[in-house]
Amino acid sequence: MGKKILIIGATGMLGESVARRLNEDGFSIRVFTRDIHKARKLFGESFEIVMGEVTESKSIESALDGCCGVHINLSGEIEQVGVEIIASAAIKKNIKRITYISGTSVAEDTAWFPQTKRKLMAEKAIKESGVPYCIFCPTWFMESLPKYVKGSKAFVFGKQPNQYHFLAVEDYSRMVSVSYQRDDVLNKRFFIHGPRGFLFHDALKKYCSVISPEIMKISNMPYWLSKIIAKLGNKEEMKFASELMAFFEQVGEKGDPTEANLLLGAPIIELDEWLNQRKVKLDKFSAG
Ligand SMILES: NC(=O)c1ccc[n+]([C@@H]2O[C@H](COP(=O)([O-])OP(=O)(O)OC[C@H]3O[C@@H](n4cnc5c(N)ncnc54)[C@H](OP(=O)(O)O)[C@@H]3O)[C@@H](O)[C@H]2O)c1
């Protein structure tokens, strides 16, 4: 297949690493962003950057010119509509491959949760477009852990009795890149789980022991309290994180990663290794 891939959401926490990995593996990257300055600051001159809004089909269509594939890394309420528009544009532009990040517990029986519903509808639009696709359904990323540390406190919402196979974004990015290098992966939905299962509480405890050793205790914040704090403080991020955790507490980590491991190469980065790498990076950064 051709070599240029449009990445929508490349400035996002999980899109950036995919963009860099695809580029290292020989693909040229075109970044689609609403904020050209943010993208330029992140990527310098290494990638072509185009400005646009995902709801404007004309800007998506022209961004797809000359691309063989499009990787979608969107979040929030725009996700369903955005993916529907991208899928229609991809048909028109004869795009050879769509890759998209969904989620491990996205399923018909969990569609009562609005984020799941949006992702499910987005997946439907991709499948119905007839453009060959790979849909990635990863579990919790290790990179999410810092979001549960605020100042001198670390907390999870609710009781979180389920285990999750935390995944490093580096492993995921490699798997997305492999998907662009094989044809036997097309039209599949891949569950991606990291090498080892942890209770959220235990993963966060490990995180704190390496990155923030002054934090000795992981608190469990009840949902009723997080609701009140989020509402009074107008804290959208907290509201979202708490609702997401309540969802996961109820449905757990779904999906079987066997096929993804076989075709894309299983994730190998353990939480301990990821934490050590992160610590080295943070130390280097603070040493200037
Ligand atoms: N964190 C996890 O553990 C986890 C696990 C499984 C799945 N996921 C899924 O992974 C996905 C990506 O997560 P993330 O953390 O990388 O998201 P993120 O950091 O919020 O990034 C979202 C990206 O979407 C782009 N975007 C948003 N609205 C746009 C619009 N109207 N037009 C064009 N671009 C728009 C943004 O680009 P610009 O600002 O540059 O325009 C940004 O780069 C989410 O759907 C999430 O559900 C996450």
Side-chain angles (χ1 to χ4, degrees), residues 7-16 31-36 38-39 42 52-56 60 72-76 78-79 82 86 100-106 115 119 136-145 147 166-167 169 172 192 200 240 244 248:
I7 306 201
I8 299 175
T11 62
M13 183 178 87
L14 306 174
E16 179 191 347
V31 168
F32 184 90
T33 179
R34 292 164 300 173
D35 184 343
I36 214 140
K38 175 170 87 173
L42 201 59
E53 163 63 54
V54 82
T55 50
E56 290 163 4
I60 296 284
I72 310 172
N73 184 81
L74 285 172
S75 65
I78 201 69
E79 195 169 353
I86 298 162
Y100 166 60
I101 183 165
S102 182
T104 201
S105 296
V106 172
Q115 182 184 317
K119 285 188 179 292
F136 300 98
C137 300
T139 186
W140 286 88
F141 281 87
M142 295 173 188
E143 281 74 7
S144 298
L145 290 169
K147 295 186 175 169
F166 285 85
L167 170 70
V169 75
Y172 159 71
I192 308 191
F200 210 108
F240 173 74
L244 189 65
F248 270 100

Side-chain angles (χ1 to χ4, degrees), residues 77-91:
E77 301 210 344
I78 201 69
E79 195 169 353
Q80 179 190 336
V81 177
V83 174
E84 286 168 355
I85 290 169
I86 298 162
S88 304
I91 308 170

Side-chain angles (χ1 to χ4, degrees), residues 47-265:
F47 301 148
E48 185 187 346
I49 297 174
V50 296
M51 197 163 101
E53 163 63 54
V54 82
T55 50
E56 290 163 4
S57 46
K58 287 279 170 256
S59 69
I60 296 284
E61 282 174 29
S62 63
L64 284 170
D65 267 338
C67 292
C68 60
V70 55
H71 177 67
I72 310 172
N73 184 81
L74 285 172
S75 65
E77 301 210 344
I78 201 69
E79 195 169 353
Q80 179 190 336
V81 177
V83 174
E84 286 168 355
I85 290 169
I86 298 162
S88 304
I91 308 170
K92 278 196 192 161
K93 290 290 175 174
N94 197 22
I95 296 301
K96 300 288 178 257
R97 195 166 302 205
I98 299 177
T99 53
Y100 166 60
I101 183 165
S102 182
T104 201
S105 296
V106 172
E108 291 290 346
D109 63 349
T110 61
W112 48 266
F113 185 56
Q115 182 184 317
T116 296
K117 177 86 189 237
R118 289 196 291 269
K119 285 188 179 292
L120 216 48
M121 297 308 286
E123 288 191 23
K124 186 165 173 272
I126 291 171
K127 289 174 187 166
E128 288 178 354
S129 72
V131 178
Y133 65 86
C134 281
I135 293 171
F136 300 98
C137 300
T139 186
W140 286 88
F141 281 87
M142 295 173 188
E143 281 74 7
S144 298
L145 290 169
K147 295 186 175 169
Y148 295 85
V149 179
K150 295 277 177 237
S152 59
K153 291 201 178 347
F155 51 87
V156 297
F157 299 103
K159 294 197 168 63
Q160 296 307 321
N162 305 314
Q163 288 209 341
Y164 306 105
H165 291 77
F166 285 85
L167 170 70
V169 75
E170 190 183 327
D171 271 327
Y172 159 71
S173 305
R174 173 185 50 76
M175 293 167 90
V176 175
S177 178
V178 170
S179 82
Y180 275 93
Q181 299 169 54
R182 301 176 63 137
D183 287 333
D184 55 355
V185 298
L186 289 177
N187 302 331
K188 289 185 188 290
R189 204 169 173 258
F190 289 115
F191 292 98
I192 308 191
H193 294 177
R196 205 172 300 278
F198 292 95
L199 293 174
F200 210 108
H201 185 282
D202 293 344
L204 197 55
K205 202 167 175 187
K206 267 181 177 290
Y207 177 89
C208 289
S209 71
V210 178
I211 308 292
S212 306
E214 69 285 0
I215 301 178
M216 312 295 281
K217 182 173 171 275
I218 311 298
S219 312
N220 286 75
M221 187 184 291
Y223 294 115
W224 63 265
L225 183 58
S226 64
K227 253 188 205 162
I228 293 174
I229 296 176
K231 192 161 187 184
L232 292 178
N234 208 8
K235 295 176 191 283
E236 269 307 308
E237 196 190 346
M238 185 176 195
K239 179 173 179 283
F240 173 74
S242 157
E243 286 171 358
L244 189 65
M245 279 205 151
F247 166 75
F248 270 100
E249 183 163 328
Q250 193 166 330
V251 307
E253 176 186 71
K254 284 177 172 273
D256 178 353
T258 308
E259 193 175 27
N261 291 348
L262 204 65
L263 292 176
L264 304 172

